[in-house]
Amino acid sequence: MDVVGRYNVVVTGNEAGPVVLLAHGFGCDQNLWRLIVPQLAERYRVVLFDHVGSGRSDVSAWSAERYSSLDGYADDVLNICRELDLRDVVLVGHSVSAMIAVLAANREPERFAKLVLLTPSPCYVDDGDYRGGFSREDVDELLTALESNYLGWSAVMAPVIMDNPDRPELGAELTNSFCRTDPAIARVLARTTFLSDNRADLAKVTVPTLVVQCARDAIAPREVGQFVHDQVRGSELVTLDAVGHCPQLSAPDETAGAIVAFVSGR
Amino acid sequence: MTCGPGDLPGRGEIGADLPELLEDSVEDLYDNAPCGYLSTLPDGTIVKINATLLRWLGRERDAVVGRMSLPDLLTVGGRIYYETHFAPLLQMQGELGGVALELKTAGGARWPVLLTATVTSDAEGRPRLVRTVVFDARDRRAYEEELLRARDEAERERDRVQRLARTLQQTLLPPVLPDVPGMQVAAYYHPASLDQVGGDFYDLFPLTGDTWGFFLGDVSGKGENAAVVTSLIRYTLRGAAVYDPDPAGVLRHLNTVLYQAFEGTYPRFCTVLYGSIRPDGDGAVMTLAGGGHTPAVVLRADGTASLLHLRGGQLVGALPEARFVVAEVRLAPGDAILLYTDGLTEARTGVDSWYSEEDLRDELSGLAPPTASGVIDAVNRLLVGLGAGVEDDTALLALSVPSRESGRA
């Protein structure tokens, strides 16, 4: 299968503008960008995709081995850039994809013009003096919460959800489909997301970087955003007056504004 | 008001008393509903909460309203789930139902609940408040945990069975085929099921001097009973081959052993091809004895293929005195022979059609010159193409004499 099918790649917006590649985070799929895409699309060529195992990606391309480390996902991002021949890319990574973006940019810095790290955390688990905000037990508790909520996930319904997202008559069954993942895949992704430690990768970033955080975010608290800002040399930090982990939903105008100012500014 | 079952009015009596029975206080209906109610601002801050939920949480209204947010009431793991799944979905859909999370009570206990939420908007469509209903799910969660435990247990058990079947299968097949001077040999085993030991078998081993023995066959049935028979067959054939140079004699010996071993209990028999092969000039001569088995395919250097029928050969182990038919085949340089089991030739190709021996012969003709590994690769591709049509195990064993050009292996 080609990259467009494998990652459900969607290209939209101003063809003449710079390329802005949006990488969604843990939990849902590219639909999470939908409130800011219109604003970005006026100026930029916007490229959206689903990580393998999420949304409408090709689930058969998923393997526990490849996707038990963020490197597998970073590989995919570079793969998309190569196959679509994207150059001078502005890579925007939300949540776990912020670290995926860091890994991809460190591997092929010449490919990327700028990085935007949206509510990033290089390490969710506390370690010595470092406060990620969570303990190993908390992560186990999350896995339990995932398990409880996927009892309703039905293997029988999955093909319907994957194949017919545009058929409104299936609306009732399709509710929640943006954040629906095969439980086995969700479990591995949760572990990969919350147990990875990419603190050492931050200092290796050479691409101009913007860190965007929310004033109140239970997943990526402000001291973690500050840590990322301190570690990435020359980075800018913007703190949005927003609550939660998904400012592209809770404060779309401010989020799009911060991205535009960074991409088009200077 | 309180009333026991005995005080409930009968069907015909509702009428004049109805206004009195109806709950006239909306406040009371809200506060003491059999579920928790919660209203939050879009940022999660709790602005209204009912008495039922406060009771479950063990908290005072003043300590909650305006001071805590919905995620504050959850376990840490639940909070992550809330921020990464619940909140974004609610923002995108405007409503969300049946999310299983755990409340953390003031005393530190966990209280499993199901949350259902809707967003109310102002005149301009901006989200104003989120209304959330909280259902007590303690019993349900206990039951679900039982189900999850049972499922995990079943998955572990299945892994164990598959591992056992795989290990057992390996003891019934040679781990690697030996090198036969002047020949090329290749084999393949295609299990139809990961859970069961198959009933197909093959082997290749040195006899006296430059002669080699080999066999391939299929036991009736599968699973652990078939494994017992396969094991017996393998060691009997290898034992008999050492002292009886006549392939038909080796099969007669096997027939006696099988017939006696399972007589009267549970009849077990097999179909088998047993042969010996020795160098002959620039080629090899093979003597092949058949007991009711599908015909081998002889492939010539020029690409022609034919079926080697051993008609009249009977099942091994079914009758006290069985008849076996012997044929002699000379393999010239570039020739090959393929032995296979009927998993391949009984594969389903349609509702009423099966892959036949003739289909196989035609498929393999044109391989010029055929080599043992080339033949196995070709059949392998065929098996992949037949996919789910292959309902039985399939064993393959191929022997070839290298062509003059490629020299002797």
Side-chain angles (χ1 to χ4, degrees), chain A residues 96-118:
Chain A
V96 67
S97 278
M99 287 310 117
I100 293 169
V102 163
L103 293 174
N106 286 354
R107 290 241 299 269
E108 289 185 26
E110 62 285 359
R111 176 76 68 179
F112 300 96
K114 292 177 179 181
L115 282 187
V116 178
L117 310 181
L118 192 56

mmCIF file with all atom_site columns, all heavy atoms in Angstrom, chain A residues 96-118:
data_model
loop_
_atom_site.group_PDB
_atom_site.id
_atom_site.type_symbol
_atom_site.label_atom_id
_atom_site.label_alt_id
_atom_site.label_comp_id
_atom_site.label_asym_id
_atom_site.label_entity_id
_atom_site.label_seq_id
_atom_site.pdbx_PDB_ins_code
_atom_site.Cartn_x
_atom_site.Cartn_y
_atom_site.Cartn_z
_atom_site.occupancy
_atom_site.B_iso_or_equiv
_atom_site.pdbx_formal_charge
_atom_site.auth_seq_id
_atom_site.auth_comp_id
_atom_site.auth_asym_id
_atom_site.auth_atom_id
_atom_site.pdbx_PDB_model_num
ATOM 1   N N   . VAL A 1 96  ? 2.204  13.252 22.275 1.00 0.00 ? 96  VAL A N   1
ATOM 2   C CA  . VAL A 1 96  ? 3.324  12.328 22.051 1.00 0.00 ? 96  VAL A CA  1
ATOM 3   C C   . VAL A 1 96  ? 4.010  12.613 20.719 1.00 0.00 ? 96  VAL A C   1
ATOM 4   O O   . VAL A 1 96  ? 5.209  12.354 20.546 1.00 0.00 ? 96  VAL A O   1
ATOM 5   C CB  . VAL A 1 96  ? 2.863  10.856 22.127 1.00 0.00 ? 96  VAL A CB  1
ATOM 6   C CG1 . VAL A 1 96  ? 1.935  10.499 20.969 1.00 0.00 ? 96  VAL A CG1 1
ATOM 7   C CG2 . VAL A 1 96  ? 4.053  9.910  22.126 1.00 0.00 ? 96  VAL A CG2 1
ATOM 8   N N   . SER A 1 97  ? 3.282  13.164 19.768 1.00 0.00 ? 97  SER A N   1
ATOM 9   C CA  . SER A 1 97  ? 3.892  13.438 18.463 1.00 0.00 ? 97  SER A CA  1
ATOM 10  C C   . SER A 1 97  ? 4.900  14.576 18.523 1.00 0.00 ? 97  SER A C   1
ATOM 11  O O   . SER A 1 97  ? 5.681  14.758 17.597 1.00 0.00 ? 97  SER A O   1
ATOM 12  C CB  . SER A 1 97  ? 2.818  13.746 17.415 1.00 0.00 ? 97  SER A CB  1
ATOM 13  O OG  . SER A 1 97  ? 2.284  12.543 16.925 1.00 0.00 ? 97  SER A OG  1
ATOM 14  N N   . ALA A 1 98  ? 4.894  15.361 19.600 1.00 0.00 ? 98  ALA A N   1
ATOM 15  C CA  . ALA A 1 98  ? 5.914  16.384 19.746 1.00 0.00 ? 98  ALA A CA  1
ATOM 16  C C   . ALA A 1 98  ? 7.285  15.702 19.837 1.00 0.00 ? 98  ALA A C   1
ATOM 17  O O   . ALA A 1 98  ? 8.254  16.134 19.213 1.00 0.00 ? 98  ALA A O   1
ATOM 18  C CB  . ALA A 1 98  ? 5.641  17.227 20.986 1.00 0.00 ? 98  ALA A CB  1
ATOM 19  N N   . MET A 1 99  ? 7.355  14.597 20.605 1.00 0.00 ? 99  MET A N   1
ATOM 20  C CA  . MET A 1 99  ? 8.635  13.886 20.726 1.00 0.00 ? 99  MET A CA  1
ATOM 21  C C   . MET A 1 99  ? 8.945  13.094 19.456 1.00 0.00 ? 99  MET A C   1
ATOM 22  O O   . MET A 1 99  ? 10.096 12.925 19.085 1.00 0.00 ? 99  MET A O   1
ATOM 23  C CB  . MET A 1 99  ? 8.626  12.963 21.952 1.00 0.00 ? 99  MET A CB  1
ATOM 24  C CG  . MET A 1 99  ? 8.732  13.715 23.260 1.00 0.00 ? 99  MET A CG  1
ATOM 25  S SD  . MET A 1 99  ? 10.108 14.915 23.266 1.00 0.00 ? 99  MET A SD  1
ATOM 26  C CE  . MET A 1 99  ? 9.199  16.428 23.468 1.00 0.00 ? 99  MET A CE  1
ATOM 27  N N   . ILE A 1 100 ? 7.897  12.622 18.787 1.00 0.00 ? 100 ILE A N   1
ATOM 28  C CA  . ILE A 1 100 ? 8.103  11.952 17.495 1.00 0.00 ? 100 ILE A CA  1
ATOM 29  C C   . ILE A 1 100 ? 8.712  12.967 16.518 1.00 0.00 ? 100 ILE A C   1
ATOM 30  O O   . ILE A 1 100 ? 9.640  12.647 15.768 1.00 0.00 ? 100 ILE A O   1
ATOM 31  C CB  . ILE A 1 100 ? 6.761  11.398 16.963 1.00 0.00 ? 100 ILE A CB  1
ATOM 32  C CG1 . ILE A 1 100 ? 6.272  10.256 17.869 1.00 0.00 ? 100 ILE A CG1 1
ATOM 33  C CG2 . ILE A 1 100 ? 6.895  10.925 15.512 1.00 0.00 ? 100 ILE A CG2 1
ATOM 34  C CD1 . ILE A 1 100 ? 4.840  9.805  17.606 1.00 0.00 ? 100 ILE A CD1 1
ATOM 35  N N   . ALA A 1 101 ? 8.218  14.203 16.577 1.00 0.00 ? 101 ALA A N   1
ATOM 36  C CA  . ALA A 1 101 ? 8.735  15.260 15.702 1.00 0.00 ? 101 ALA A CA  1
ATOM 37  C C   . ALA A 1 101 ? 10.207 15.539 16.017 1.00 0.00 ? 101 ALA A C   1
ATOM 38  O O   . ALA A 1 101 ? 11.029 15.700 15.112 1.00 0.00 ? 101 ALA A O   1
ATOM 39  C CB  . ALA A 1 101 ? 7.906  16.529 15.865 1.00 0.00 ? 101 ALA A CB  1
ATOM 40  N N   . VAL A 1 102 ? 10.549 15.565 17.315 1.00 0.00 ? 102 VAL A N   1
ATOM 41  C CA  . VAL A 1 102 ? 11.943 15.810 17.712 1.00 0.00 ? 102 VAL A CA  1
ATOM 42  C C   . VAL A 1 102 ? 12.844 14.709 17.147 1.00 0.00 ? 102 VAL A C   1
ATOM 43  O O   . VAL A 1 102 ? 13.903 14.988 16.572 1.00 0.00 ? 102 VAL A O   1
ATOM 44  C CB  . VAL A 1 102 ? 12.051 15.873 19.259 1.00 0.00 ? 102 VAL A CB  1
ATOM 45  C CG1 . VAL A 1 102 ? 13.490 15.712 19.715 1.00 0.00 ? 102 VAL A CG1 1
ATOM 46  C CG2 . VAL A 1 102 ? 11.458 17.182 19.773 1.00 0.00 ? 102 VAL A CG2 1
ATOM 47  N N   . LEU A 1 103 ? 12.401 13.455 17.273 1.00 0.00 ? 103 LEU A N   1
ATOM 48  C CA  . LEU A 1 103 ? 13.209 12.340 16.779 1.00 0.00 ? 103 LEU A CA  1
ATOM 49  C C   . LEU A 1 103 ? 13.385 12.424 15.263 1.00 0.00 ? 103 LEU A C   1
ATOM 50  O O   . LEU A 1 103 ? 14.477 12.216 14.738 1.00 0.00 ? 103 LEU A O   1
ATOM 51  C CB  . LEU A 1 103 ? 12.564 11.002 17.152 1.00 0.00 ? 103 LEU A CB  1
ATOM 52  C CG  . LEU A 1 103 ? 12.519 10.674 18.651 1.00 0.00 ? 103 LEU A CG  1
ATOM 53  C CD1 . LEU A 1 103 ? 11.740 9.397  18.904 1.00 0.00 ? 103 LEU A CD1 1
ATOM 54  C CD2 . LEU A 1 103 ? 13.933 10.544 19.201 1.00 0.00 ? 103 LEU A CD2 1
ATOM 55  N N   . ALA A 1 104 ? 12.294 12.735 14.555 1.00 0.00 ? 104 ALA A N   1
ATOM 56  C CA  . ALA A 1 104 ? 12.363 12.820 13.097 1.00 0.00 ? 104 ALA A CA  1
ATOM 57  C C   . ALA A 1 104 ? 13.298 13.958 12.686 1.00 0.00 ? 104 ALA A C   1
ATOM 58  O O   . ALA A 1 104 ? 14.139 13.792 11.794 1.00 0.00 ? 104 ALA A O   1
ATOM 59  C CB  . ALA A 1 104 ? 10.967 13.035 12.510 1.00 0.00 ? 104 ALA A CB  1
ATOM 60  N N   . ALA A 1 105 ? 13.175 15.114 13.351 1.00 0.00 ? 105 ALA A N   1
ATOM 61  C CA  . ALA A 1 105 ? 13.995 16.276 12.990 1.00 0.00 ? 105 ALA A CA  1
ATOM 62  C C   . ALA A 1 105 ? 15.466 16.043 13.327 1.00 0.00 ? 105 ALA A C   1
ATOM 63  O O   . ALA A 1 105 ? 16.349 16.554 12.640 1.00 0.00 ? 105 ALA A O   1
ATOM 64  C CB  . ALA A 1 105 ? 13.479 17.518 13.702 1.00 0.00 ? 105 ALA A CB  1
ATOM 65  N N   . ASN A 1 106 ? 15.741 15.275 14.366 1.00 0.00 ? 106 ASN A N   1
ATOM 66  C CA  . ASN A 1 106 ? 17.138 14.984 14.698 1.00 0.00 ? 106 ASN A CA  1
ATOM 67  C C   . ASN A 1 106 ? 17.759 14.012 13.691 1.00 0.00 ? 106 ASN A C   1
ATOM 68  O O   . ASN A 1 106 ? 18.957 14.044 13.447 1.00 0.00 ? 106 ASN A O   1
ATOM 69  C CB  . ASN A 1 106 ? 17.247 14.397 16.113 1.00 0.00 ? 106 ASN A CB  1
ATOM 70  C CG  . ASN A 1 106 ? 17.035 15.473 17.171 1.00 0.00 ? 106 ASN A CG  1
ATOM 71  O OD1 . ASN A 1 106 ? 16.915 16.652 16.832 1.00 0.00 ? 106 ASN A OD1 1
ATOM 72  N ND2 . ASN A 1 106 ? 16.974 15.074 18.425 1.00 0.00 ? 106 ASN A ND2 1
ATOM 73  N N   . ARG A 1 107 ? 16.927 13.155 13.122 1.00 0.00 ? 107 ARG A N   1
ATOM 74  C CA  . ARG A 1 107 ? 17.454 12.189 12.141 1.00 0.00 ? 107 ARG A CA  1
ATOM 75  C C   . ARG A 1 107 ? 17.732 12.859 10.799 1.00 0.00 ? 107 ARG A C   1
ATOM 76  O O   . ARG A 1 107 ? 18.724 12.575 10.156 1.00 0.00 ? 107 ARG A O   1
ATOM 77  C CB  . ARG A 1 107 ? 16.453 11.038 11.960 1.00 0.00 ? 107 ARG A CB  1
ATOM 78  C CG  . ARG A 1 107 ? 16.364 10.123 13.169 1.00 0.00 ? 107 ARG A CG  1
ATOM 79  C CD  . ARG A 1 107 ? 16.763 8.693  12.848 1.00 0.00 ? 107 ARG A CD  1
ATOM 80  N NE  . ARG A 1 107 ? 15.913 8.104  11.842 1.00 0.00 ? 107 ARG A NE  1
ATOM 81  C CZ  . ARG A 1 107 ? 14.810 7.410  12.103 1.00 0.00 ? 107 ARG A CZ  1
ATOM 82  N NH1 . ARG A 1 107 ? 14.440 7.213  13.351 1.00 0.00 ? 107 ARG A NH1 1
ATOM 83  N NH2 . ARG A 1 107 ? 14.106 6.882  11.136 1.00 0.00 ? 107 ARG A NH2 1
ATOM 84  N N   . GLU A 1 108 ? 16.828 13.732 10.349 1.00 0.00 ? 108 GLU A N   1
ATOM 85  C CA  . GLU A 1 108 ? 17.007 14.388 9.045  1.00 0.00 ? 108 GLU A CA  1
ATOM 86  C C   . GLU A 1 108 ? 16.711 15.884 9.172  1.00 0.00 ? 108 GLU A C   1
ATOM 87  O O   . GLU A 1 108 ? 15.715 16.384 8.653  1.00 0.00 ? 108 GLU A O   1
ATOM 88  C CB  . GLU A 1 108 ? 16.074 13.762 7.992  1.00 0.00 ? 108 GLU A CB  1
ATOM 89  C CG  . GLU A 1 108 ? 16.468 12.369 7.582  1.00 0.00 ? 108 GLU A CG  1
ATOM 90  C CD  . GLU A 1 108 ? 15.601 11.820 6.448  1.00 0.00 ? 108 GLU A CD  1
ATOM 91  O OE1 . GLU A 1 108 ? 15.044 12.611 5.661  1.00 0.00 ? 108 GLU A OE1 1
ATOM 92  O OE2 . GLU A 1 108 ? 15.488 10.588 6.376  1.00 0.00 ? 108 GLU A OE2 1
ATOM 93  N N   . PRO A 1 109 ? 17.607 16.632 9.864  1.00 0.00 ? 109 PRO A N   1
ATOM 94  C CA  . PRO A 1 109 ? 17.336 18.056 10.115 1.00 0.00 ? 109 PRO A CA  1
ATOM 95  C C   . PRO A 1 109 ? 17.160 18.863 8.825  1.00 0.00 ? 109 PRO A C   1
ATOM 96  O O   . PRO A 1 109 ? 16.401 19.836 8.809  1.00 0.00 ? 109 PRO A O   1
ATOM 97  C CB  . PRO A 1 109 ? 18.559 18.522 10.901 1.00 0.00 ? 109 PRO A CB  1
ATOM 98  C CG  . PRO A 1 109 ? 19.542 17.422 10.890 1.00 0.00 ? 109 PRO A CG  1
ATOM 99  C CD  . PRO A 1 109 ? 18.860 16.175 10.479 1.00 0.00 ? 109 PRO A CD  1
ATOM 100 N N   . GLU A 1 110 ? 17.831 18.437 7.737  1.00 0.00 ? 110 GLU A N   1
ATOM 101 C CA  . GLU A 1 110 ? 17.759 19.217 6.486  1.00 0.00 ? 110 GLU A CA  1
ATOM 102 C C   . GLU A 1 110 ? 16.364 19.177 5.886  1.00 0.00 ? 110 GLU A C   1
ATOM 103 O O   . GLU A 1 110 ? 15.992 20.002 5.061  1.00 0.00 ? 110 GLU A O   1
ATOM 104 C CB  . GLU A 1 110 ? 18.806 18.705 5.482  1.00 0.00 ? 110 GLU A CB  1
ATOM 105 C CG  . GLU A 1 110 ? 18.642 17.271 5.023  1.00 0.00 ? 110 GLU A CG  1
ATOM 106 C CD  . GLU A 1 110 ? 19.055 16.222 6.064  1.00 0.00 ? 110 GLU A CD  1
ATOM 107 O OE1 . GLU A 1 110 ? 19.509 16.588 7.170  1.00 0.00 ? 110 GLU A OE1 1
ATOM 108 O OE2 . GLU A 1 110 ? 18.893 15.020 5.774  1.00 0.00 ? 110 GLU A OE2 1
ATOM 109 N N   . ARG A 1 111 ? 15.565 18.224 6.319  1.00 0.00 ? 111 ARG A N   1
ATOM 110 C CA  . ARG A 1 111 ? 14.219 18.066 5.778  1.00 0.00 ? 111 ARG A CA  1
ATOM 111 C C   . ARG A 1 111 ? 13.250 19.125 6.332  1.00 0.00 ? 111 ARG A C   1
ATOM 112 O O   . ARG A 1 111 ? 12.244 19.437 5.738  1.00 0.00 ? 111 ARG A O   1
ATOM 113 C CB  . ARG A 1 111 ? 13.760 16.642 6.139  1.00 0.00 ? 111 ARG A CB  1
ATOM 114 C CG  . ARG A 1 111 ? 12.367 16.273 5.771  1.00 0.00 ? 111 ARG A CG  1
ATOM 115 C CD  . ARG A 1 111 ? 12.173 15.991 4.307  1.00 0.00 ? 111 ARG A CD  1
ATOM 116 N NE  . ARG A 1 111 ? 12.834 14.801 3.819  1.00 0.00 ? 111 ARG A NE  1
ATOM 117 C CZ  . ARG A 1 111 ? 12.753 14.396 2.538  1.00 0.00 ? 111 ARG A CZ  1
ATOM 118 N NH1 . ARG A 1 111 ? 12.048 15.101 1.665  1.00 0.00 ? 111 ARG A NH1 1
ATOM 119 N NH2 . ARG A 1 111 ? 13.378 13.312 2.147  1.00 0.00 ? 111 ARG A NH2 1
ATOM 120 N N   . PHE A 1 112 ? 13.575 19.654 7.542  1.00 0.00 ? 112 PHE A N   1
ATOM 121 C CA  . PHE A 1 112 ? 12.590 20.468 8.256  1.00 0.00 ? 112 PHE A CA  1
ATOM 122 C C   . PHE A 1 112 ? 13.023 21.925 8.398  1.00 0.00 ? 112 PHE A C   1
ATOM 123 O O   . PHE A 1 112 ? 14.179 22.211 8.712  1.00 0.00 ? 112 PHE A O   1
ATOM 124 C CB  . PHE A 1 112 ? 12.331 19.866 9.641  1.00 0.00 ? 112 PHE A CB  1
ATOM 125 C CG  . PHE A 1 112 ? 11.804 18.460 9.556  1.00 0.00 ? 112 PHE A CG  1
ATOM 126 C CD1 . PHE A 1 112 ? 12.661 17.361 9.667  1.00 0.00 ? 112 PHE A CD1 1
ATOM 127 C CD2 . PHE A 1 112 ? 10.459 18.225 9.311  1.00 0.00 ? 112 PHE A CD2 1
ATOM 128 C CE1 . PHE A 1 112 ? 12.186 16.059 9.555  1.00 0.00 ? 112 PHE A CE1 1
ATOM 129 C CE2 . PHE A 1 112 ? 9.976  16.928 9.199  1.00 0.00 ? 112 PHE A CE2 1
ATOM 130 C CZ  . PHE A 1 112 ? 10.833 15.850 9.317  1.00 0.00 ? 112 PHE A CZ  1
ATOM 131 N N   . ALA A 1 113 ? 12.059 22.830 8.172  1.00 0.00 ? 113 ALA A N   1
ATOM 132 C CA  . ALA A 1 113 ? 12.329 24.248 8.322  1.00 0.00 ? 113 ALA A CA  1
ATOM 133 C C   . ALA A 1 113 ? 12.127 24.673 9.778  1.00 0.00 ? 113 ALA A C   1
ATOM 134 O O   . ALA A 1 113 ? 12.920 25.422 10.341 1.00 0.00 ? 113 ALA A O   1
ATOM 135 C CB  . ALA A 1 113 ? 11.420 25.059 7.413  1.00 0.00 ? 113 ALA A CB  1
ATOM 136 N N   . LYS A 1 114 ? 11.035 24.180 10.371 1.00 0.00 ? 114 LYS A N   1
ATOM 137 C CA  . LYS A 1 114 ? 10.711 24.550 11.747 1.00 0.00 ? 114 LYS A CA  1
ATOM 138 C C   . LYS A 1 114 ? 9.964  23.411 12.442 1.00 0.00 ? 114 LYS A C   1
ATOM 139 O O   . LYS A 1 114 ? 9.354  22.569 11.781 1.00 0.00 ? 114 LYS A O   1
ATOM 140 C CB  . LYS A 1 114 ? 9.838  25.815 11.774 1.00 0.00 ? 114 LYS A CB  1
ATOM 141 C CG  . LYS A 1 114 ? 10.573 27.061 11.314 1.00 0.00 ? 114 LYS A CG  1
ATOM 142 C CD  . LYS A 1 114 ? 9.693  28.290 11.265 1.00 0.00 ? 114 LYS A CD  1
ATOM 143 C CE  . LYS A 1 114 ? 10.560 29.478 10.822 1.00 0.00 ? 114 LYS A CE  1
ATOM 144 N NZ  . LYS A 1 114 ? 9.839  30.729 10.759 1.00 0.00 ? 114 LYS A NZ  1
ATOM 145 N N   . LEU A 1 115 ? 10.021 23.463 13.767 1.00 0.00 ? 115 LEU A N   1
ATOM 146 C CA  . LEU A 1 115 ? 9.273  22.492 14.575 1.00 0.00 ? 115 LEU A CA  1
ATOM 147 C C   . LEU A 1 115 ? 8.320  23.246 15.495 1.00 0.00 ? 115 LEU A C   1
ATOM 148 O O   . LEU A 1 115 ? 8.711  24.245 16.101 1.00 0.00 ? 115 LEU A O   1
ATOM 149 C CB  . LEU A 1 115 ? 10.210 21.697 15.488 1.00 0.00 ? 115 LEU A CB  1
ATOM 150 C CG  . LEU A 1 115 ? 11.049 20.553 14.936 1.00 0.00 ? 115 LEU A CG  1
ATOM 151 C CD1 . LEU A 1 115 ? 11.732 19.849 16.121 1.00 0.00 ? 115 LEU A CD1 1
ATOM 152 C CD2 . LEU A 1 115 ? 10.191 19.572 14.166 1.00 0.00 ? 115 LEU A CD2 1
ATOM 153 N N   . VAL A 1 116 ? 7.086  22.747 15.601 1.00 0.00 ? 116 VAL A N   1
ATOM 154 C CA  . VAL A 1 116 ? 6.167  23.279 16.609 1.00 0.00 ? 116 VAL A CA  1
ATOM 155 C C   . VAL A 1 116 ? 5.801  22.117 17.531 1.00 0.00 ? 116 VAL A C   1
ATOM 156 O O   . VAL A 1 116 ? 5.250  21.105 17.081 1.00 0.00 ? 116 VAL A O   1
ATOM 157 C CB  . VAL A 1 116 ? 4.889  23.877 15.981 1.00 0.00 ? 116 VAL A CB  1
ATOM 158 C CG1 . VAL A 1 116 ? 3.949  24.375 17.082 1.00 0.00 ? 116 VAL A CG1 1
ATOM 159 C CG2 . VAL A 1 116 ? 5.242  25.010 15.022 1.00 0.00 ? 116 VAL A CG2 1
ATOM 160 N N   . LEU A 1 117 ? 6.135  22.265 18.806 1.00 0.00 ? 117 LEU A N   1
ATOM 161 C CA  . LEU A 1 117 ? 5.833  21.211 19.784 1.00 0.00 ? 117 LEU A CA  1
ATOM 162 C C   . LEU A 1 117 ? 4.641  21.677 20.609 1.00 0.00 ? 117 LEU A C   1
ATOM 163 O O   . LEU A 1 117 ? 4.755  22.614 21.412 1.00 0.00 ? 117 LEU A O   1
ATOM 164 C CB  . LEU A 1 117 ? 7.056  20.956 20.671 1.00 0.00 ? 117 LEU A CB  1
ATOM 165 C CG  . LEU A 1 117 ? 8.394  20.739 19.930 1.00 0.00 ? 117 LEU A CG  1
ATOM 166 C CD1 . LEU A 1 117 ? 9.511  20.481 20.929 1.00 0.00 ? 117 LEU A CD1 1
ATOM 167 C CD2 . LEU A 1 117 ? 8.284  19.589 18.935 1.00 0.00 ? 117 LEU A CD2 1
ATOM 168 N N   . LEU A 1 118 ? 3.498  21.033 20.386 1.00 0.00 ? 118 LEU A N   1
ATOM 169 C CA  . LEU A 1 118 ? 2.256  21.442 21.028 1.00 0.00 ? 118 LEU A CA  1
ATOM 170 C C   . LEU A 1 118 ? 2.005  20.557 22.248 1.00 0.00 ? 118 LEU A C   1
ATOM 171 O O   . LEU A 1 118 ? 1.897  19.339 22.119 1.00 0.00 ? 118 LEU A O   1
ATOM 172 C CB  . LEU A 1 118 ? 1.127  21.296 20.001 1.00 0.00 ? 118 LEU A CB  1
ATOM 173 C CG  . LEU A 1 118 ? -0.247 21.900 20.302 1.00 0.00 ? 118 LEU A CG  1
ATOM 174 C CD1 . LEU A 1 118 ? -0.128 23.382 20.599 1.00 0.00 ? 118 LEU A CD1 1
ATOM 175 C CD2 . LEU A 1 118 ? -1.178 21.671 19.113 1.00 0.00 ? 118 LEU A CD2 1
#
